Amino acid sequence: MAQKPRQKAPGMSRELTSLYLENQSIPVVLEQFQAKPKFGTKAERWVWRAFKSSARDDGLALHHWAKANEEYTDYYYARFNAKTNPYQYTDEEYEKCIEPLDKGWSRTETDYLLHMCRQFDLRFIIIHDRYYSHTDCPNSGIESNRTLEDLKDRYYAIGRALTQYRAGEDSRDPEDVPLQTTNKLADDLALLRFDKDKELERKKYLEALFRRTKEEIEEEELLTAEARRIEANERRLVHEREVLLQSHAMFEEATGSAVGPPIKVQYAQTVDPSLASPATTPTAEATPKGRKGAAADGPGDPASARTIKRQKSTHGTPAPLRVRAGSVASRAQGSPGVKVRSPSVSDMVRKSASPSRSIAPSIKSEQGNLSPVFGDPTFGTEIHTVKPAVVEVETAEVGTIVVPQRDARLGPGVFLRSDKLHPIPKNKLDAVKQFMSQLALNSPNTIWPRPVMATPAVCDRFDSLQSIIIPLLDFKKTADKLETEVQVLRARKRMLVNDIGEDKAEEILNRLPPVSTSTAGARHQRKGSSASSRRKSRDSIS
Amino acid sequence: MPTYGGDEVNALVIDVGSTWTRAGFAGEDLPKAYFPSHVGYLESEVEVSETLDSPKENDNAATSSAAATSDQDVEMGDASADDAQKHEEATNGTSKKSKKKMRQFFVGDTESAVWRPGMEIGGPLERGLVKDWDIYEKIWEHAFKSQLRVNPEEHPVMVNEAAWNTSELRTKLIEMAFEKFQCPAFYVCKNPVLAAFGTGRHTGLVLDVGGDMASACAVYEGFCLTKTIQKQELGGELVSSQIMEKLKDDYQYEPTPLFDIKSKAPVDILQKPDVVRYNREGTTASYLQEMRLRAMLEFKETTCEVLERPFNADYANNKPLKPFEFPDGFNISLGAMRFAMPEILFNPNQFMVKRPQRLEGANLVGIHELAIKSAMSSDVDLRPQLLNSVVLAGGSSLFPGLVDRLSLTLQQSIASSRIKMYCPNSNTERKVTAWLGGSVLASLGTFHQLWISRAEYDEHGASIVDKKCQ
């Protein structure tokens, strides 16, 4: 088409111009068949050409195909003709330094050995294999039955002797010889070290190892596996024992009457009101502040406290509670949500409870509003002495000294005392930090809570503080879970009662036999423990 | 050129085995020529007058070989007879005037199998070593002239030899290459080394189960360890002949070779063959035996297998039967027997039906024993390396199941090292493993400095072969 070329808009690519301008024919590119493909370059000429290699000394001309325009100065592969250079010696050197080495080796044989080393590029296995069958083997002057180690030993001995001799030949005073040279000599000699006896011994062991039968190998493997298992078991046992002792020690500290840092935490010295009195709602629990609020809130519901006391005197288990829990459980047979949750709660209680004491403490308040301590009135003010875990170390001079356990784990080098504080589990780090900041313990270290002035006493206290905070947080978590569950159950109960009417519900509840499901068992345990601790708190009040 | 480390110089590679000969060009992946090493020959006696003096002999040999190059087999009457005679004189060094045997040779599958009255069949090797140089030479000639159609004067020649080859035989070999065939360059390499190269490794334990011999040898960095060579006359041909004995014992049957069958009729299973024979006059025993062995070869190749675990008759009987019909119509359905016969390779003393005369009193062991003996005679440092690359070569290793069985047996015997078998996957390649190694080696750019050139041969004489081909 005879269109005149459109004017190209300035600053616009040709493709873009053609896009927005109309009446533009689309260019069609037709594939052109090419019978003969065209290559960009011209075909190179190859010729059948003779070549000679510098690696050969007979001038053999072999032929190969080569590019006509390329000229080689030497055969390409001649450069790979690498040769090893075993030691060579003059007659004088042989007499002076090699001959005295070993009387068992004649000059002929030594020459032959080095010849073989050259021929087989120091592959001693082949040298040994061909030592007596080689065509160059001299007829006489050769010791029979040379072993591989004999040959190696001789070769390296020659190497050592020659190196030493040649180094010693420049008759300079040892003082004048630059340090570099002597070092180099030592290095060279070290490279040439060969201990024949050791090598023979090694081979002997290797041979024995190789000749083991299948049964022996299996037995060995079995024994190794067994040993490994025993070791692992031992390690596990030790670890478990440590964990157990540690948690025990924590509880000793945390629940001991006088010992305990001034954290305003209320352990299960009171019956959880959410369980004890159905009237109290969790929101009501969270509101009180200060001692007064706590007094009204804690065991302050006299009715429920009385009920529990009565129950305790008969069986130690609060019957109404038991019935209620049982009824819920029995009614909730069809609902898996409840069924599954109940045992999990009991598991949790069991898990978090110390094995020595079955006290399941519950933390009543949220972190934001700490409820004051109900039990010991002097709790917050007393500066108590902390007894950290100690290790007894026996020394020669003084006998036994007592060291804090954290100092007993000594790493190499210099360390900070604060580094030795018990580490906080990573998953609890944030919670512990938050807790500490609420206690106005500002840590200089932003990652790990650390005391500002890490004196031993401060560290001890810090340690004990940590060892209280961590289980405290655990218990709080458990308590939160339990509370939620109780709320759910209670809501369920309310719904059920609304459905069937209050009278009928009462009737059903009375008719129900005492339930002993796992849920009830867990509750039982909990109630029992909280009842006993409550008694303690009552004692302290009176 | 320097891309793959290879550089073609158009070398010829020839591997003369006890049953098959392979020949071809270096750098190719299969030999161009593959024909039986057994050749036919007709013997006739010729009156011979004088023996020439030794210095003159060389020239004469050269000229006669030049004459011999003109054509092959059929017309070679004079030339080959001349050679044979001289050869014998050279070895015996006796007799001034006597009747000399002259042989006319028939080489190649199509020639040697044809029935001719009085034609004998013979192979060039015995226990892996060249026994009959005339046959050996004819095989070369046939390979180069009739099969590859090249002039050996223009090509370097690479040959392989048994690991236990002697110095005299190697000398003769190089003389033949340079005097008779006028090669510009020559190299001879040991079988195990080439087999290892053929599978792409320079160190390994090579177990070669051939037609005639079974041998094991350690190869370390391209060198044969002569002290580890273990060999015995226990190969595929023995298995074939034992199958023949077995058929004779169990079914009173002797196969009629194809050449003797005029007509045949189908018969029922295990019935006597209904066959009309030619009963040709002048059939030699060696020819008959050869033709029978060929029938056995077919039998062996189509039916025989190796059990993947030590032989157990009950287990073998549970395997599927395989029918086989011999050329004369005798047919048989094989059960345990097809597993029991190759078992000779593993347990010759128990499974051999009838010991041949030459093996009377010989202490034969299984091929796995050979490998173990060979490995144990090497240095203890080297053993794990060797056992980690066991190279299996040779045509008789092609029984289905042999690789697995061997690997299992070796592992049972040597518990303290891992056994790994290496052999080409395709059967075609496994038949020519050693040739393949030669093909690879002779086409390497770095190899070309190792050739023995004519100049070197002229300068140092035949003894150079021991210097250069280690």
Side-chain angles (χ1 to χ4, degrees):
Chain A
M1 67 196 93
Q3 256 181 10
K4 60 179 175 188
R6 223 177 291 269
Q7 215 165 27
K8 192 173 167 281
M12 203 181 281
S13 72
R14 183 172 53 81
E15 290 82 3
L16 193 59
T17 320
S18 68
L19 269 181
Y20 82 91
L21 286 175
E22 288 168 20
N23 205 6
Q24 188 78 7
S25 65
I26 302 158
V28 178
V29 181
L30 282 176
E31 285 275 335
Q32 293 272 311
F33 172 71
Q34 278 186 316
K36 199 174 169 190
K38 271 183 200 159
F39 299 108
T41 53
K42 246 180 123 183
E44 295 230 31
R45 241 173 77 77
W46 287 71
V47 286
W48 183 247
R49 185 192 282 161
F51 68 91
K52 283 182 185 177
S53 167
S54 68
R56 301 190 64 99
D57 47 14
D58 60 345
L60 170 70
L62 293 164
H63 292 72
H64 65 179
W65 286 104
K67 281 183 183 169
N69 56 355
E70 277 181 27
E71 285 294 333
Y72 300 102
T73 47
D74 189 13
Y75 183 49
Y76 178 82
Y77 292 100
R79 71 182 70 173
F80 297 112
N81 185 29
K83 291 266 176 202
T84 49
N85 269 322
Y87 294 99
Q88 279 177 320
Y89 43 78
T90 59
D91 288 350
E92 186 203 341
E93 278 173 335
Y94 183 82
E95 273 164 32
K96 276 203 178 138
C97 71
I98 297 171
E99 204 164 17
L101 280 178
D102 188 348
K103 295 289 169 212
W105 284 79
S106 64
R107 172 79 194 248
T108 333
E109 191 172 1
T110 312
D111 287 349
Y112 173 59
L113 174 67
L114 290 184
H115 171 73
M116 292 290 272
C117 287
R118 202 164 303 121
Q119 175 116 43
F120 292 109
D121 293 328
L122 289 176
R123 293 183 184 95
F124 279 101
I125 287 185
I126 302 162
I127 295 170
H128 176 240
D129 184 65
R130 308 283 168 89
Y131 198 67
Y132 295 106
S133 59
H134 199 262
T135 42
D136 297 336
C137 183
N139 296 324
S140 61
I142 285 213
E143 205 76 20
S144 59
N145 296 327
R146 291 276 189 215
T147 63
L148 181 60
E149 285 72 30
D150 285 339
L151 302 181
K152 273 189 181 175
D153 187 39
R154 177 66 175 169
Y155 178 77
Y156 288 116
I158 291 172
R160 279 194 304 270
L162 278 179
T163 313
Q164 214 142 30
Y165 180 75
R166 282 171 194 170
E169 219 176 28
D170 50 349
S171 51
R172 278 180 287 178
D173 196 61
E175 299 286 311
D176 297 343
V177 178
L179 192 64
Q180 229 177 345
T181 320
T182 48
N183 279 348
K184 193 182 169 301
L185 176 65
D187 285 351
D188 286 351
L189 288 178
L191 281 177
L192 291 167
R193 201 176 299 139
F194 182 81
D195 190 338
K196 189 171 140 191
D197 295 333
K198 272 234 176 83
E199 190 76 355
L200 282 172
E201 201 179 357
R202 183 182 72 84
K203 290 225 166 139
K204 206 180 80 194
Y205 285 133
L206 211 56
E207 183 81 40
L209 207 61
F210 193 84
R211 289 192 183 270
R212 289 175 304 167
T213 62
K214 204 179 171 194
E215 290 74 33
E216 282 169 334
I217 290 174
E218 273 168 6
E219 195 186 333
E220 213 165 277
E221 272 171 7
L222 209 72
L223 285 176
T224 323
E226 187 74 2
R228 214 170 288 147
R229 200 180 58 78
I230 289 170
E231 245 171 54
N233 257 359
E234 208 168 311
R235 229 176 297 138
R236 194 169 52 82
L237 274 177
V238 166
H239 178 72
E240 269 175 13
R241 200 179 304 144
E242 254 172 29
V243 167
L244 205 64
L245 284 175
Q246 219 169 14
S247 63
H248 185 78
M250 272 184 202
F251 272 100
E252 291 273 88
E253 259 175 58
T255 57
S257 57
V259 181
I263 305 164
K264 292 169 183 170
V265 176
Q266 195 169 18
Y267 286 99
Q269 292 165 334
T270 168
V271 172
D272 193 336
S274 60
L275 287 175
S277 67
T280 325
T281 56
T283 42
E285 290 163 31
T287 43
K289 278 179 191 163
R291 265 172 191 272
K292 267 184 200 162
D297 181 56
D301 190 345
S304 67
R306 230 177 296 128
T307 328
I308 289 167
K309 192 188 167 195
R310 197 174 57 234
Q311 298 301 329
K312 224 209 96 217
S313 61
T314 51
H315 198 257
T317 316
L321 265 178
R322 194 180 57 198
V323 170
R324 243 177 269 147
S327 73
V328 170
S330 60
R331 268 153 194 278
Q333 288 294 342
S335 117
V338 176
K339 232 169 80 186
V340 174
R341 273 172 78 106
S342 304
S344 75
V345 170
S346 67
D347 278 354
M348 227 151 32
V349 171
R350 230 177 286 140
K351 237 187 277 171
S352 59
S354 151
S356 55
R357 295 186 180 197
S358 57
I359 297 170
S362 73
I363 301 148
K364 222 186 75 184
S365 55
E366 297 293 325
Q367 276 179 4
N369 42 14
L370 295 166
S371 61
V373 176
F374 176 75
D376 187 359
T378 60
F379 192 86
T381 50
E382 187 201 28
I383 296 173
H384 65 282
T385 50
V386 177
K387 287 210 172 98
V390 291
V391 175
E392 292 188 354
V393 181
E394 279 184 39
T395 55
E397 294 94 29
V398 211
T400 316
I401 51 167
V402 173
V403 186
Q405 194 183 21
R406 60 162 190 276
D407 289 347
R409 298 173 289 137
L410 276 181
V414 181
F415 61 90
L416 298 175
R417 184 182 285 117
S418 59
D419 283 349
K420 292 279 168 183
L421 287 171
H422 280 106
I424 302 163
K426 270 238 170 83
N427 52 347
K428 291 176 188 139
L429 191 60
D430 284 343
V432 172
K433 267 158 79 179
Q434 204 185 343
F435 207 109
M436 287 201 169
S437 69
Q438 278 165 10
L439 295 173
L441 274 173
N442 289 323
S443 164
N445 187 332
T446 49
I447 300 166
W448 298 96
R450 291 280 179 260
V452 180
M453 182 67 74
T455 61
V458 170
C459 277
D460 288 347
R461 281 207 68 143
F462 203 86
D463 243 354
S464 68
L465 179 64
Q466 270 185 18
S467 65
I468 292 167
I469 290 173
I470 293 165
L472 174 68
L473 290 171
D474 284 348
F475 297 147
K476 188 186 155 340
K477 211 163 133 194
T478 316
D480 285 350
K481 268 191 186 152
L482 288 172
E483 266 172 25
T484 334
E485 193 168 332
V486 167
Q487 273 176 41
V488 169
L489 290 176
R490 200 175 288 142
R492 230 184 129 72
K493 187 198 156 199
R494 252 198 309 280
M495 271 167 63
L496 287 168
V497 169
N498 284 345
D499 279 358
I500 57 171
E502 221 153 288
D503 297 343
K504 210 175 173 192
E506 191 76 14
E507 196 183 321
I508 292 171
L509 280 175
N510 289 337
R511 243 190 298 148
L512 278 172
V515 187
S516 61
T517 59
S518 63
T519 325
R523 289 274 157 78
H524 173 119
Q525 193 187 16
R526 227 185 107 165
K527 280 296 144 193
S529 58
S530 49
S532 71
S533 57
R534 212 163 55 82
R535 188 176 27 147
K536 205 163 45 178
S537 71
R538 214 177 33 245
D539 291 350
S540 63
I541 292 168
S542 59
Chain B
M1 175 175 70
T3 320
Y4 301 108
D7 187 18
E8 306 287 353
V9 294
N10 251 8
L12 304 175
V13 180
I14 182 161
D15 167 7
V16 183
S18 58
T19 38
W20 295 96
T21 295
R22 306 100 178 151
F25 294 98
E28 293 187 349
D29 54 3
L30 281 178
K32 280 250 185 308
Y34 186 82
F35 58 91
S37 298
H38 287 185
V39 305
Y41 56 87
L42 288 171
E43 273 183 322
S44 53
E45 294 198 341
V46 161
E47 194 87 19
V48 171
S49 51
E50 276 284 316
T51 317
L52 293 156
D53 281 79
S54 46
K56 247 187 151 185
E57 203 174 329
N58 263 356
D59 302 3
N60 209 318
T63 51
S64 73
S65 83
T69 55
S70 59
D71 208 339
Q72 66 128 6
D73 314 306
V74 187
E75 203 222 311
M76 66 179 46
D78 303 335
S80 61
D82 207 24
D83 288 349
Q85 161 223 342
K86 233 160 261 145
H87 163 64
E88 261 168 49
E89 273 163 12
T91 47
N92 302 343
T94 55
S95 75
K96 285 262 165 182
K97 188 169 185 177
S98 63
K99 285 196 169 175
K100 278 285 155 190
K101 276 181 186 160
M102 183 200 99
R103 295 193 285 181
Q104 187 185 355
F105 290 97
F106 304 94
V107 192
D109 221 354
T110 49
E111 290 293 324
S112 64
V114 178
W115 179 85
R116 292 181 179 85
M119 186 174 82
E120 301 267 3
I121 296 282
L125 307 182
E126 189 178 68
R127 293 158 179 259
L129 303 181
V130 183
K131 169 195 68 175
D132 196 324
W133 282 98
D134 293 335
I135 298 180
Y136 195 83
E137 190 190 318
K138 289 296 166 244
I139 288 173
W140 272 41
E141 216 168 86
H142 177 77
F144 295 152
K145 305 272 169 59
S146 319
Q147 299 269 345
L148 301 180
R149 297 180 177 278
V150 291
N151 184 1
E153 290 175 31
E154 294 167 358
H155 301 270
V157 174
M158 154 85 89
V159 198
N160 59 351
E161 58 172 3
W164 54 91
N165 206 7
T166 60
S167 191
E168 301 96 82
L169 291 176
R170 309 177 94 200
T171 316
K172 247 184 199 156
L173 190 64
I174 192 174
E175 273 170 9
M176 188 179 94
F178 280 118
E179 307 292 349
K180 296 249 168 66
F181 289 92
Q182 303 286 335
C183 304
F186 171 82
Y187 198 78
V188 55
C189 196
K190 297 198 183 299
N191 265 329
V193 176
L194 290 185
F197 285 163
T199 46
R201 36 204 55 247
H202 58 71
T203 301
L205 184 68
V206 180
L207 180 59
D208 185 344
V209 192
D212 196 15
M213 300 289 289
S215 65
C217 174
V219 174
Y220 175 71
E221 300 205 342
F223 289 94
C224 237
L225 297 185
T226 48
K227 284 174 184 162
T228 63
I229 296 171
Q230 295 285 336
K231 58 176 198 289
Q232 63 183 12
E233 276 184 271
L234 181 70
E237 280 183 20
L238 184 81
V239 176
S240 295
S241 65
Q242 291 300 308
I243 293 174
M244 219 136 71
E245 297 285 347
K246 178 90 174 163
L247 290 172
K248 210 187 210 168
D249 278 10
D250 290 5
Y251 307 105
Q252 290 74 49
Y253 168 74
E254 270 195 306
T256 316
L258 210 53
F259 79 92
D260 208 15
I261 298 168
K262 198 171 183 183
S263 67
K264 64 177 176 181
V267 290
D268 270 350
I269 191 161
L270 289 179
Q271 292 306 304
K272 263 195 166 312
D274 180 10
V275 67
V276 180
R277 292 194 177 81
Y278 283 114
N279 283 329
R280 288 169 158 144
E281 285 285 319
T283 307
T284 58
S286 62
Y287 182 73
L288 187 65
Q289 180 70 9
E290 173 75 11
M291 291 303 122
R292 278 188 176 156
L293 282 178
R294 284 203 182 184
M296 283 307 130
L297 185 73
E298 203 188 329
F299 175 87
K300 198 168 71 175
E301 283 180 353
T302 47
T303 66
C304 285
E305 279 181 46
V306 175
L307 280 187
E308 64 273 25
R309 48 170 144 161
F311 187 79
N312 176 326
D314 293 336
Y315 183 64
N317 272 320
N318 284 334
K319 291 268 180 179
L321 297 176
K322 261 197 185 176
F324 185 80
E325 185 178 321
F326 285 92
D328 54 9
F330 179 79
N331 61 83
I332 182 171
S333 204
L334 294 147
M337 180 186 158
R338 71 192 182 95
F339 295 100
M341 296 323 290
E343 203 65 23
I344 292 173
L345 294 177
F346 287 94
N347 198 343
N349 295 328
Q350 190 188 333
F351 287 90
M352 212 166 335
V353 185
K354 187 182 163 204
R355 262 181 194 245
Q357 201 79 45
R358 68 198 156 90
L359 290 180
E360 218 52 72
N363 179 29
L364 294 178
V365 295
I367 50 172
H368 60 286
E369 296 269 331
L370 283 184
I372 290 165
K373 270 192 194 171
S374 176
M376 291 312 260
S377 55
S378 67
D379 193 84
V380 68
D381 280 339
L382 195 57
R383 271 177 225 163
Q385 253 194 79
L386 293 178
L387 292 167
N388 253 326
S389 54
V390 179
V391 174
L392 193 58
S396 298
S397 69
L398 290 170
F399 287 112
L402 187 128
V403 182
D404 294 337
R405 169 68 181 284
L406 196 61
S407 149
L408 178 84
T409 329
L410 286 178
Q411 193 68 73
Q412 275 175 348
S413 314
I414 298 176
S416 45
S417 171
R418 200 172 59 102
I419 308 273
K420 191 145 195 253
M421 308 279 295
Y422 283 91
C423 47
N425 284 327
S426 81
N427 282 356
T428 328
E429 273 186 32
R430 270 170 69 185
K431 282 181 190 171
V432 298
T433 316
W435 183 88
L436 210 59
S439 166
V440 170
L441 185 61
S443 60
L444 281 181
T446 42
F447 173 74
H448 299 321
Q449 67 186 64
L450 293 177
W451 292 107
I452 300 171
S453 68
R454 169 157 281 284
E456 281 173 315
Y457 172 73
D458 288 342
E459 191 186 335
H460 300 281
S463 63
I464 184 133
V465 70
D466 284 330
K467 275 216 175 62
K468 291 205 76 169
C469 310
Q470 297 283 0

